[in-house]
Protein backbone atom coordinates (compact mmCIF):
# COMPACT_ATOMS: atom_id res chain seq x y z
CA UNK A 1 0.00 0.00 0.00
CA UNK A 2 2.83 2.41 0.81
CA UNK A 3 4.58 1.61 -2.44
CA UNK A 4 1.35 2.22 -4.36
CA UNK A 5 0.88 5.60 -2.69
CA UNK A 6 4.50 6.57 -3.36
CA UNK A 7 4.13 5.50 -6.99
CA UNK A 8 0.97 7.61 -7.42
CA UNK A 9 2.81 10.63 -6.00
CA UNK A 10 5.75 10.10 -8.36
CA UNK A 11 3.44 9.82 -11.37
CA UNK A 12 1.70 13.09 -10.44
CA UNK A 13 5.08 14.83 -10.10
CA UNK A 14 6.29 13.64 -13.52
CA UNK A 15 3.75 15.78 -15.42
CA UNK A 16 4.33 13.76 -18.62
CA UNK A 17 1.17 11.61 -18.80
CA UNK A 18 3.06 8.40 -18.09
CA UNK A 19 1.45 5.86 -15.80
CA UNK A 20 4.69 4.31 -14.62
CA UNK A 21 7.90 5.12 -12.79
CA UNK A 22 11.22 3.75 -13.99
CA UNK A 23 13.50 2.47 -11.24
CA UNK A 24 16.99 1.01 -11.40
CA UNK A 25 15.58 -2.46 -10.65
CA UNK A 26 12.59 -2.24 -12.99
CA UNK A 27 9.35 -0.37 -13.52
CA UNK A 28 6.30 0.13 -11.33
CA UNK A 29 3.04 1.74 -12.28
CA UNK A 30 -0.61 1.48 -13.14
CA UNK A 31 -1.02 0.49 -16.77
CA UNK A 32 -4.55 0.92 -18.05
CA UNK A 33 -6.14 -2.31 -19.12
CA UNK A 34 -7.79 -1.84 -22.50
CA UNK A 35 -11.57 -2.00 -22.38
CA UNK A 36 -13.26 -4.90 -24.12
CA UNK A 37 -16.78 -6.00 -24.80
CA UNK A 38 -17.89 -9.30 -23.30
CA UNK A 39 -21.20 -10.79 -24.46
CA UNK A 40 -22.50 -12.67 -21.42
CA UNK A 41 -25.89 -13.70 -22.88
CA UNK A 42 -25.58 -14.63 -26.55
CA UNK A 43 -29.35 -14.95 -27.09
CA UNK A 44 -30.19 -11.55 -25.61
CA UNK A 45 -27.28 -9.95 -27.46
CA UNK A 46 -28.41 -11.49 -30.74
CA UNK A 47 -31.99 -10.31 -30.23
CA UNK A 48 -30.72 -6.79 -29.50
CA UNK A 49 -28.45 -6.82 -32.55
CA UNK A 50 -31.29 -7.95 -34.84
CA UNK A 51 -33.32 -4.93 -33.71
CA UNK A 52 -30.62 -2.29 -33.42
CA UNK A 53 -27.57 -3.30 -35.43
CA UNK A 54 -28.41 -6.00 -38.01
CA UNK A 55 -25.11 -5.48 -39.87
CA UNK A 56 -23.32 -6.89 -36.82
CA UNK A 57 -24.88 -10.33 -37.32
CA UNK A 58 -22.88 -12.90 -39.26
CA UNK A 59 -24.67 -15.86 -40.78
CA UNK A 60 -22.48 -18.86 -41.48
CA UNK A 61 -23.43 -21.75 -43.73
CA UNK A 62 -21.33 -24.86 -43.55
CA UNK A 63 -21.43 -28.43 -44.78
CA UNK A 64 -21.76 -31.21 -42.24
CA UNK A 65 -19.05 -33.52 -43.60
CA UNK A 66 -20.28 -36.48 -41.56
CA UNK A 67 -23.68 -36.22 -43.31
CA UNK A 68 -22.01 -36.21 -46.74
CA UNK A 69 -19.82 -39.16 -45.76
CA UNK A 70 -22.83 -41.14 -44.54
CA UNK A 71 -24.71 -40.30 -47.75
CA UNK A 72 -21.73 -41.50 -49.80
CA UNK A 73 -21.50 -44.75 -47.80
CA UNK A 74 -25.22 -45.37 -48.30
CA UNK A 75 -25.64 -44.38 -51.94
CA UNK A 76 -22.13 -44.37 -53.42
CA UNK A 77 -22.83 -40.89 -54.78
CA UNK A 78 -20.19 -38.20 -54.29
CA UNK A 79 -21.58 -34.70 -53.78
CA UNK A 80 -20.65 -32.02 -56.30
CA UNK A 81 -17.53 -30.24 -55.12
CA UNK A 82 -16.36 -33.18 -53.01
CA UNK A 83 -13.84 -35.94 -53.62
CA UNK A 84 -12.84 -39.15 -51.90
CA UNK A 85 -9.30 -39.16 -50.56
CA UNK A 86 -7.22 -41.79 -48.82
CA UNK A 87 -8.42 -45.33 -48.31
CA UNK A 88 -5.30 -46.85 -49.90
CA UNK A 89 -2.52 -48.89 -48.37
CA UNK A 90 0.73 -47.17 -47.67
CA UNK A 91 4.05 -48.57 -46.57
CA UNK A 92 5.60 -47.37 -43.33
CA UNK A 93 8.36 -48.28 -40.91
CA UNK A 94 8.09 -47.52 -37.21
CA UNK A 95 11.10 -47.63 -34.89
CA UNK A 96 11.26 -47.14 -31.16
CA UNK A 97 14.69 -45.55 -31.33
CA UNK A 98 15.19 -43.11 -34.19
CA UNK A 99 18.36 -43.61 -36.21
CA UNK A 100 19.03 -39.86 -36.45
Amino acid sequence: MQLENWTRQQIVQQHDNRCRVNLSAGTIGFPAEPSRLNVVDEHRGLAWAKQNLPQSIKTVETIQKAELKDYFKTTGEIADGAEIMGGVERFYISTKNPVF
Side-chain angles (χ1 to χ4, degrees):
M1 186 64 133
Q2 289 178 342
L3 185 56
E4 283 185 30
N5 291 336
W6 179 86
T7 303
R8 289 185 195 282
Q9 291 172 352
Q10 295 301 308
I11 289 172
V12 169
Q13 291 174 6
Q14 289 177 15
H15 302 294
D16 60 5
N17 296 324
R18 287 188 291 167
C19 59
R20 65 185 178 279
V21 176
N22 293 322
L23 303 172
S24 59
T27 305
I28 58 175
F30 302 94
E33 181 181 324
S35 61
R36 61 183 185 271
L37 178 67
N38 185 27
V39 178
V40 293
D41 187 330
E42 187 80 21
H43 295 292
R44 286 180 50 207
L46 187 57
W48 182 92
K50 285 179 181 178
Q51 280 287 303
N52 299 285
L53 197 61
Q55 67 269 26
S56 69
I57 298 172
K58 180 172 89 171
T59 302
V60 178
E61 290 183 325
T62 186
I63 295 174
Q64 298 294 320
K65 292 178 186 174
E67 295 288 331
L68 287 182
K69 186 176 178 184
D70 289 344
Y71 182 80
F72 168 72
K73 285 180 180 179
T74 303
T75 66
E77 183 180 351
I78 300 172
D80 287 345
E83 64 184 10
I84 303 300
M85 298 175 64
V88 296
E89 286 183 347
R90 60 183 188 145
F91 179 73
Y92 74 97
I93 298 173
S94 176
T95 62
K96 292 185 179 181
N97 298 316
V99 180
F100 310 98

